Amino acid sequence: MDRGKISVREIVEFTLRRGDIDSRHVSNHTAQEGARLHRKLQKAAGEDYAKEVSLKRTMTVQEDSLTIEGRADGIFCDETGETVIDEIKTSEVHFEDLSEDQLELFFFQGMVYGYLYAFQEQLTEIAVQVTYYQTTEEVITRTRREFTMTDLQLFMDHLLTEYHKWLVFQDDWRRVRNTALTKLTFPYETFRKGQRELAAAAYKTLKTSRRLFVEASTGTGKTISTLFPALKAMGEADGDRCFYLTAKTITRQVAEDALKALAKNGSQTKSVTLTAKDKICFLEERNCTPEHCPYAKGYYNRINEGLWDLLHHENQITREVIEHYGKKHELCPFELSLDVSLFCDVIIGDYNYLFDPTVYLRRFFEEPKEDYYFLIDEAHNLVSRSREMYSATLSRNSGNAFQEKLPKSFRGLHRRLNQIDNEFELLQQRSIEEDWRFKHQSLMPESLINRLYGFSEKMKEWLAANPGNPAEETGLAYYFEVQAFLRISEIYDDHFETTIERTYTDLKIKLFCIAPAPFLDQMLAKGKSALLFSASFTPLAYYQDVLGGGKEALRYKLPSPFPPEHQRILVADYIETTYRKRQASLPLVVDAIYQMVTGKTGNYLVFFPSYQYLDEVASLFASNHPEITCLIQDTQMVEEEREAFLARFEANPIETLVGFCVLGGIFSEGIDLKGDRLIGTAIVGVGLPQMNHEQDLIKNYFDDAQGKGFEYAYQLPGMNKVLQAAGRVIRDVSDFGVVLLLDQRFISPRYQKLFPQHWRHARLVHGTQQLQAELADFWRTQNTV
């Protein structure tokens, strides 16, 4: 049976890798930089040096055929006439600091090329040379080993035998998967309203390799309605792997639940949920070095055994499963989840695994060879998240903190840090002389960036040569900050501005990505098709524009699946919450909240555009109505505190509870308080982001580009927060509730046109008595249902 093709590098690295995980020994330079250095060395080798020689051979193992192919960096004959395979490697690490395992891996790759060439040319002996180029000091080290064809044949037999079992496993699983998925049916007896239409639109999009932007109300069942057609299309061999990406842990849980339901209905898929490194680390304080972490030390010696065990016993690989096998085989759980993902059909994780230029999954997206489906949940979050991912900040204080801890004996590194600080000092003095605290410019700080490259090279050497130094922890934090800054500088273009901000204690330089759409588009193009969906995607044209949809993308909007009479939208047009009117309207806001929460005993949430405004209203409310239990969202709530806050919203409450929260915060989206755990929400203001320098840069950019600066910078992001907060109320067809919009601006055409279809029945209230009457009428109506 033909088992396809495999590159030399892939088969060697997967089968023969050994050694530790060490965060200090990761190469910094790009693939392009490595290719440039390869060409430099190849050219210097002379005319008799054959470079980039393509080699290929189809081999048989256990009646299966496998084609191994690749390009040898160089082949030449030395002064004795012996044929030599040259394997070129480049890195910042000094040759003498390379681990024995790493050097062996270099030779293993050269040995495969040596075997392929010796077989092709019928040679009985051949030499393999590793040419190592240390990039920071440009030192070349060459080391050579001699092999007979018998040696290489034994080596290849072992390599193929070890790899073959993985290949058979993967191919057999793919057949099992596709057979099961072609027979897969929807896991529930009936479709919810809009579910069938969404699943059909998703399926057609995936089959035609397009992108689709979908707005579908909460409760439509977007997760199952996108995963189900994606698995069906995969079963028909139209896609190889599906990535379900989201910003929230709770929505990852929803995806896991959907896969569980599909599995009960006959689906055969392997899925893995990726959890952030800091969250899943077994250590109290993460330190990814073999001296500090037993799960990092010898990781590559144990990983294949752990993978084999995991893959043969589990299909749905959740965080708990990863942690179990990580401890069983003493493997870093984060790296284990990444390694097992290569064998999985569905990968669930955060947006950054695709879009973030620093942490995206290079094993999938550096040189994609498969057809991927991207399912982007709650995709409205990607607007602000992508600006963060494609921006980078460098702090003067971070560099100074490292320099203070660095022993004086490391003069070279101190000199580099001084050069960086001198750049900051020049900016500091200029800001004082010109009397500004914030400045922006279109040009990058080229002089600073050149200094950062020099520091990065020196720092790489220092980390490799000084493991366990007391300054290592602080140094690593600053080094990663510098690396992120340099990565963004490499893609910097006219979608960016450089900002400089002087505070009372620090000076910060930021490469600020105003419009990340082109970069999102590039990453979405790594896949075959993409579905981007959200309950609040109004207007769809805006999201298609800012999220890299391109003109060819499709748009689809589903109506709300819930009966409109189950929810009453009330707009209090007598309340003004603009900054100038805020203090004067405080009593009216407090009274409106009181009318809502006393209309019916139950649980309520009230959302504000800022913590300051929240505190002012909550304080006055508690003073005026001490008999009502209040909860207040804190600015820094850990996960346990968030869970305790939500746990207070119990079903069948016997007294009223009201929670005061901020728009766009942890309680305004992603939470699922079904039934009478939440029966009403008030939203104070139209959610406009606070005016600041960065929002104004966004405004100016889109004013120049499209004449829509205020909408793109302020109005649309604010309205999305409002829609998300309002969406907490009705979560199921049996839910009932009220949404109270407290701001006169909601009656203006500018905002009315952004109301979703199921808000078209919103009612205006002109004062307290009318608000009271509307609430009483609504709850009286529900009592008769």
Side-chain angles (χ1 to χ4, degrees), residues 6-19 68 87-89 101-102 104-110 112-113 155 159 162-163 166 299-301 303-304 307 339 342-343 362-363 367 369:
I6 182 73
S7 74
V8 171
R9 181 171 181 172
E10 285 177 296
I11 191 171
V12 169
E13 289 191 349
F14 177 78
T15 310
L16 301 177
R17 55 187 171 174
R18 296 290 183 272
I68 301 175
E87 181 66 22
I88 299 173
K89 297 296 178 184
D101 292 311
Q102 185 63 71
E104 285 299 304
L105 199 64
F106 294 163
F107 268 108
F108 290 152
Q109 197 167 330
V112 177
Y113 288 123
F155 166 74
L159 179 66
E162 284 298 306
Y163 186 72
W166 293 95
Y299 173 87
Y300 294 111
N301 301 342
I303 178 58
N304 283 6
L307 280 178
D339 283 330
L342 290 167
F343 297 89
R362 283 171 173 77
R363 64 190 68 206
E367 297 177 5
K369 297 180 180 180

Side-chain angles (χ1 to χ4, degrees), residues 554-730:
L554 305 171
R555 301 199 296 258
Y556 187 54
K557 181 179 289 192
L558 275 78
S560 171
F562 308 125
E565 60 271 16
H566 281 206
Q567 185 176 52
R568 187 157 296 186
I569 313 291
L570 300 173
V571 182
D573 65 356
Y574 62 96
I575 294 178
E576 296 182 74
T577 70
T578 58
Y579 192 76
R580 290 182 180 179
K581 301 284 187 178
R582 190 166 289 178
Q583 290 301 315
S585 66
L586 275 178
L588 291 174
V589 171
V590 167
D591 179 69
I593 296 169
Y594 177 74
Q595 297 304 326
M596 178 181 73
V597 303
T598 55
K600 178 181 173 63
T601 299
N603 300 321
Y604 297 86
L605 286 173
V606 185
F607 292 96
F608 299 85
S610 69
Y611 280 102
Q612 181 181 348
Y613 196 8
L614 181 158
D615 289 339
E616 290 175 350
V617 174
S619 177
L620 183 58
F621 185 91
S623 175
N624 290 356
H625 309 290
E627 74 282 5
I628 297 176
T629 304
C630 298
L631 296 177
I632 297 177
Q633 178 184 346
D634 195 6
T635 54
Q636 301 289 333
M637 297 181 78
V638 297
E639 190 169 346
E640 292 78 9
E641 292 172 323
R642 295 197 298 267
E643 291 175 356
F645 185 99
L646 292 174
R648 295 287 298 276
F649 289 77
E650 297 177 344
N652 305 313
I654 58 174
E655 64 177 25
T656 288
L657 173 70
V658 55
F660 291 83
C661 306
V662 290
L663 277 170
I666 52 178
F667 300 122
S668 65
E669 60 176 289
I671 64 170
D672 202 19
L673 299 173
K674 291 183 178 180
D676 61 0
R677 291 187 66 197
L678 182 68
I679 62 170
T681 288
I683 298 164
V684 184
V686 293
L688 296 180
Q690 292 187 0
M691 296 185 69
N692 58 45
H693 296 300
E694 289 186 354
Q695 291 301 127
D696 282 343
L697 286 175
I698 297 169
K699 176 181 177 296
N700 295 337
Y701 177 91
F702 284 106
D703 261 340
D704 293 340
Q706 304 171 0
K708 297 180 179 180
F710 179 77
E711 291 95 321
Y712 277 34
Y714 291 102
Q715 183 189 6
L716 296 175
M719 191 60 186
N720 186 277
K721 293 177 184 178
V722 170
L723 293 170
Q724 281 293 317
R728 300 312 96 207
V729 180
I730 302 293

